[in-house]
Short mmCIF file of all heavy atoms in Angstrom, two decimals:
data_model
loop_
_atom_site.label_atom_id
_atom_site.label_comp_id
_atom_site.label_asym_id
_atom_site.label_seq_id
_atom_site.Cartn_x
_atom_site.Cartn_y
_atom_site.Cartn_z
N PRO A 616 161.57 97.49 -39.37
CA PRO A 616 161.97 97.32 -40.71
C PRO A 616 163.43 96.79 -40.85
O PRO A 616 164.27 97.00 -40.01
CB PRO A 616 161.94 98.76 -41.34
CG PRO A 616 162.03 99.69 -40.09
CD PRO A 616 161.46 98.90 -38.95
N ARG A 617 163.64 95.96 -41.91
CA ARG A 617 165.08 95.53 -42.14
C ARG A 617 165.79 96.65 -42.87
O ARG A 617 165.27 97.44 -43.62
CB ARG A 617 165.01 94.33 -43.16
CG ARG A 617 164.46 93.11 -42.57
CD ARG A 617 164.50 91.88 -43.59
NE ARG A 617 163.97 90.68 -43.01
CZ ARG A 617 162.69 90.42 -42.87
NH1 ARG A 617 161.81 91.30 -43.31
NH2 ARG A 617 162.30 89.21 -42.40
N LYS A 618 167.08 96.78 -42.55
CA LYS A 618 167.96 97.76 -43.21
C LYS A 618 169.24 97.12 -43.55
O LYS A 618 169.79 96.34 -42.73
CB LYS A 618 168.25 98.96 -42.23
CG LYS A 618 167.02 99.56 -41.64
CD LYS A 618 167.36 100.62 -40.51
CE LYS A 618 166.16 100.89 -39.63
NZ LYS A 618 166.46 100.93 -38.23
N LEU A 619 169.82 97.42 -44.66
CA LEU A 619 171.15 96.93 -45.03
C LEU A 619 172.15 97.57 -44.06
O LEU A 619 173.08 96.90 -43.67
CB LEU A 619 171.55 97.25 -46.45
CG LEU A 619 173.01 96.78 -46.80
CD1 LEU A 619 173.23 95.28 -46.48
CD2 LEU A 619 173.31 97.08 -48.27
N TYR A 620 171.78 98.82 -43.68
CA TYR A 620 172.71 99.48 -42.75
C TYR A 620 172.25 99.60 -41.44
O TYR A 620 171.13 99.50 -41.05
CB TYR A 620 173.11 100.88 -43.38
CG TYR A 620 174.09 100.63 -44.35
CD1 TYR A 620 173.95 101.13 -45.67
CD2 TYR A 620 175.18 99.87 -44.06
CE1 TYR A 620 174.98 100.83 -46.52
CE2 TYR A 620 176.18 99.57 -44.98
CZ TYR A 620 176.05 100.12 -46.20
OH TYR A 620 177.05 99.87 -47.10
N ALA A 621 173.24 99.86 -40.63
CA ALA A 621 173.11 99.78 -39.15
C ALA A 621 172.43 101.12 -38.75
O ALA A 621 172.39 102.08 -39.46
CB ALA A 621 174.43 99.74 -38.54
N SER A 622 171.90 101.11 -37.50
CA SER A 622 171.55 102.45 -36.83
C SER A 622 171.80 102.21 -35.43
O SER A 622 171.40 101.24 -34.82
CB SER A 622 170.06 102.76 -37.17
OG SER A 622 169.23 102.12 -36.29
N ALA A 623 172.45 103.19 -34.91
CA ALA A 623 172.92 103.09 -33.49
C ALA A 623 171.76 103.04 -32.45
O ALA A 623 170.78 103.76 -32.65
CB ALA A 623 173.79 104.29 -33.14
N SER A 624 171.91 102.19 -31.44
CA SER A 624 170.90 102.14 -30.43
C SER A 624 171.14 103.12 -29.30
O SER A 624 170.31 103.30 -28.48
CB SER A 624 170.76 100.72 -29.86
OG SER A 624 170.38 99.77 -30.82
N SER A 625 172.38 103.59 -29.25
CA SER A 625 172.76 104.53 -28.23
C SER A 625 172.91 105.88 -28.90
O SER A 625 173.46 105.96 -30.01
CB SER A 625 174.11 104.15 -27.57
OG SER A 625 173.98 102.90 -26.92
N PRO A 626 172.45 106.98 -28.21
CA PRO A 626 172.59 108.33 -28.88
C PRO A 626 174.00 108.70 -29.13
O PRO A 626 174.90 108.20 -28.53
CB PRO A 626 171.95 109.27 -27.79
CG PRO A 626 171.67 108.47 -26.64
CD PRO A 626 171.93 107.02 -26.82
N ILE A 627 174.16 109.51 -30.23
CA ILE A 627 175.49 109.93 -30.65
C ILE A 627 175.94 111.21 -29.90
O ILE A 627 177.06 111.38 -29.63
CB ILE A 627 175.55 110.10 -32.18
CG1 ILE A 627 175.42 108.69 -32.79
CG2 ILE A 627 176.82 110.80 -32.66
CD1 ILE A 627 174.92 108.76 -34.24
N ASP A 628 174.87 111.95 -29.48
CA ASP A 628 175.24 113.19 -28.76
C ASP A 628 175.67 112.82 -27.32
O ASP A 628 175.41 111.80 -26.75
CB ASP A 628 173.96 114.10 -28.58
CG ASP A 628 173.31 114.42 -29.92
OD1 ASP A 628 174.04 114.30 -30.95
OD2 ASP A 628 172.18 114.77 -30.00
N GLY A 629 176.48 113.85 -26.73
CA GLY A 629 176.78 113.68 -25.34
C GLY A 629 177.97 112.89 -25.07
O GLY A 629 178.40 112.64 -23.99
#
Side-chain angles (χ1 to χ4, degrees):
Chain A
R617 288 180 181 80
K618 308 168 196 139
L619 176 55
Y620 278 127
S622 84
S624 295
S625 301
I627 291 158
D628 303 343

